[in-house]
Amino acid sequence: MQSGLDIIGDIGIINFHKYYNPIRKWLLAKKTLKGNRHLKTVVEKKGQISGELRTFKTKHLAGERRKTTTHKENNCLFYMDIEKTYFSPRLSNERKIISEEVLKLAKNNSKILVMFAGVAPYPIAIAKLLRKNKIKAKIYSNELNEKANKFAEKNVRLNKVKDYITFINGNAKNIKTKEKFDIILMQRPNAEDTFLKTALRLSKKGTTIFYHGFGTKEKVLSEIKKDAKNKVGKISIRKAGDIAPFKFRWQARFRVK
Ligand SMILES: C[S@@+](CC[C@H](N)C(=O)[O-])C[C@H]1O[C@@H](n2cnc3c(N)ncnc32)[C@H](O)[C@@H]1O
């Protein structure tokens, strides 16, 4: 019976198979702590990611008793409380791929909107890449979770990209700005609403949208076609990880007509 381990910073999060009893859980936690030198804490993931803010609860099993940590990926640092905000270390490569695609599209003065930004991994990774390539674009970061927003502000300072990022926080549906964006990232939560109406309201002709959908490829393509109607061009789509057995996250990319 396999149990899954995710590592955020120096905290190991074990998602135990349902047949584990408390003693086996504790023994595996101790072994995990001993076997991974950089880990300081091991916790159990309790229940599934849930709610609008996509968070989950944990139970301490071994090592230091804390829930805050600093995670390093793609040359960036992200400080957070693992229970108070969504963050998946499994999406590190996805963030790298999308940041590199954004780099190819961005020019000086491009306006980039990152919806559902969490602790700001996308805005920060993109800002660092743009700076390295001497492109001065403006990145707008939007997130509903107030606690995630506090971490995001700290992370922007930690990564020294304050001059690239503006926060326009709150419900994505209510984003009020006169800007029309050149690039929009929609790494959405797995929820009913596609938020495409909002993205299209903030787009102009030629805007490139990066969209995450869940389930089957056919379902994702049909929800985009339904909500974006005839306002978008050709949709390119690829698998971007699994969310459950036989259920996948899909990355779709399309331009506004
Ligand atoms: C799948 S997570 C992505 C987080 C981040 N992009 C990342 O890669 O770590 C989705 C995020 O959307 C946020 N969210 C949910 N509903 C929202 C809404 N209506 N407006 C803005 N953000 C929302 C959640 O709090 C969560 O942080």
Side-chain angles (χ1 to χ4, degrees):
M1 310 288 172
Q2 287 290 315
S3 293
L5 172 70
D6 273 333
I7 296 178
I8 302 185
D10 57 6
I11 302 182
I13 305 164
I14 306 180
N15 191 8
F16 286 101
H17 190 277
K18 62 181 175 188
Y19 295 120
Y20 271 69
N21 64 32
I23 294 179
R24 278 187 76 198
K25 285 181 181 176
W26 182 77
L27 285 173
L28 183 60
K30 286 272 175 201
K31 195 174 157 198
T32 305
L33 196 62
K34 222 174 151 194
N36 292 276
R37 282 168 149 233
H38 58 283
L39 285 188
K40 293 277 187 288
T41 301
V42 176
V43 298
E44 174 182 2
K45 182 176 180 204
K46 300 289 279 179
Q48 293 305 309
I49 291 180
S50 64
E52 205 173 18
L53 305 183
R54 314 307 295 149
T55 52
F56 62 88
K57 292 278 174 218
T58 63
K59 183 181 170 201
H60 176 266
L61 287 175
E64 293 173 18
R65 281 184 183 273
R66 69 177 151 79
K67 293 171 186 170
T68 53
T69 188
T70 302
H71 184 79
K72 190 170 181 190
E73 77 170 34
N74 303 327
N75 252 337
C76 306
L77 296 170
F78 304 118
Y79 175 77
M80 75 199 82
D81 181 314
I82 58 165
E83 273 195 359
K84 296 201 168 115
T85 177
Y86 176 94
F87 183 84
S88 171
R90 295 178 193 209
L91 290 171
S92 163
N93 197 44
E94 180 61 17
R95 289 188 272 266
K96 185 168 185 283
I97 294 170
I98 294 184
S99 305
E100 282 165 1
E101 288 190 35
V102 170
L103 171 66
K104 284 187 200 144
L105 294 169
K107 302 182 180 71
N108 278 329
N109 300 320
S110 284
K111 294 189 179 87
I112 303 164
L113 171 64
V114 182
M115 293 160 78
F116 318 109
V119 298
Y122 281 99
I124 290 170
I126 293 167
K128 282 202 145 180
L129 258 191
L130 294 179
R131 162 160 302 149
K132 200 171 156 201
N133 287 276
K134 300 191 169 41
I135 298 174
K136 187 70 185 76
K138 280 183 106 177
I139 303 167
Y140 294 76
S141 179
N142 167 263
E143 164 61 47
L144 179 66
N145 180 347
E146 287 177 13
K147 288 180 180 130
N149 292 334
K150 292 263 177 275
F151 296 126
E153 279 170 30
K154 186 178 166 93
N155 291 333
V156 163
R157 289 195 298 274
L158 206 59
N159 291 280
K160 301 189 172 62
V161 285
K162 226 175 152 194
D163 51 333
Y164 272 78
I165 298 174
T166 305
F167 289 102
I168 45 172
N169 287 323
N171 191 328
K173 280 190 186 169
N174 305 331
I175 292 175
K176 281 192 185 63
T177 170
K178 289 198 180 84
E179 306 287 6
K180 297 282 181 192
F181 297 93
D182 301 288
I183 300 166
I184 299 183
L185 270 62
M186 308 178 65
Q187 271 61 35
R188 311 167 33 246
N190 184 0
E192 277 280 293
D193 200 327
T194 63
F195 291 88
L196 278 166
K197 222 173 140 187
T198 303
L200 290 169
R201 171 171 66 81
L202 300 166
S203 301
K204 57 189 176 187
K205 189 170 179 244
T207 298
T208 302
I209 297 183
F210 293 85
Y211 174 93
H212 270 172
F214 306 89
T216 64
K217 183 173 167 179
E218 293 69 33
K219 175 188 163 278
V220 175
L221 286 172
S222 83
E223 72 194 15
I224 297 170
K225 282 177 190 153
K226 180 170 167 270
D227 285 5
K229 305 225 162 50
N230 53 357
K231 296 196 185 91
V232 301
K234 186 174 166 279
I235 302 167
S236 56
I237 185 160
R238 62 171 170 79
K239 233 178 234 175
D242 50 353
I243 51 163
F246 310 110
K247 280 197 179 164
F248 302 97
R249 177 185 299 100
W250 296 88
Q251 169 64 52
R253 177 178 160 169
F254 41 87
R255 285 182 77 188
V256 176
K257 288 205 261 185

